[in-house]
Amino acid sequence: AIVAAQNTDAHLALVSQKPHEPVLEMARAFGVADKVTFLDSAEADLSQELCSADILVNPRIKCPGYPLKLLNYMAAGRPIISFRSSGKNLTDGIDASLVRDGNVTEFAGAILTLLSNRTLGDRHRSERRCGELQRGGSAFILHPIDQRFRPAS
């Protein structure tokens, strides 16, 4: 709602498992239902959705492990916004915009910043990576992750 109030062009495409009704009810309550599109994760072309997004957001405030969606986001090479505790191994300002845990206003501010400053977003993304992701499918995801977590020799 914070983003929609300040950027009338902003639109959220939410790729998730059904049922979508509970989240749609929340969107209605905040008055932003017309700004949200729900896509069933079982039917969506995930690589196409990730690579066509201007920004990828990880709304988990805390995650005990490593969010799988973050691995997909990294493989897609798109700008990422995440709360710090869920953005493990990402570097703020380099490959993501990380905000303080639970600070929804700061999270919305990061979205607005990247939507209005394409140059900043370009530092986080790589068009080449998206093309490779679309050609290679999910197997492509593992290579950049392996490179990122490989111990230095």
Side-chain angles (χ1 to χ4, degrees), residues 33-129:
D34 62 325
K35 297 283 192 177
V36 181
T37 300
F38 294 91
L39 304 165
D40 183 13
S41 58
E43 299 172 12
D45 179 346
L46 185 58
S47 63
Q48 174 61 35
E49 295 303 327
L50 293 176
C51 290
S52 65
D54 291 324
I55 299 169
L56 299 169
V57 298
N58 177 24
R60 286 185 174 188
I61 294 173
K62 292 190 182 227
C63 183
Y66 203 96
L68 181 59
K69 70 176 65 187
L70 208 51
L71 299 176
N72 288 322
Y73 292 1
M74 290 166 62
R78 308 309 282 175
I80 299 169
I81 298 172
S82 181
F83 290 106
R84 287 193 189 282
S85 292
S86 292
K88 296 171 179 77
N89 296 309
L90 294 176
T91 305
D92 186 38
I94 303 298
D95 48 7
S97 290
L98 301 176
V99 301
R100 291 175 288 166
D101 292 348
N103 192 326
V104 177
T105 303
E106 192 175 328
F107 195 88
I111 293 171
L112 289 165
T113 297
L114 286 177
L115 286 175
S116 66
N117 186 340
R118 300 296 183 181
T119 303
L120 181 59
D122 286 342
R123 285 195 301 190
H124 298 229
R125 81 171 120 206
S126 165
E127 299 297 335
R128 181 186 60 78
R129 303 264 318 126

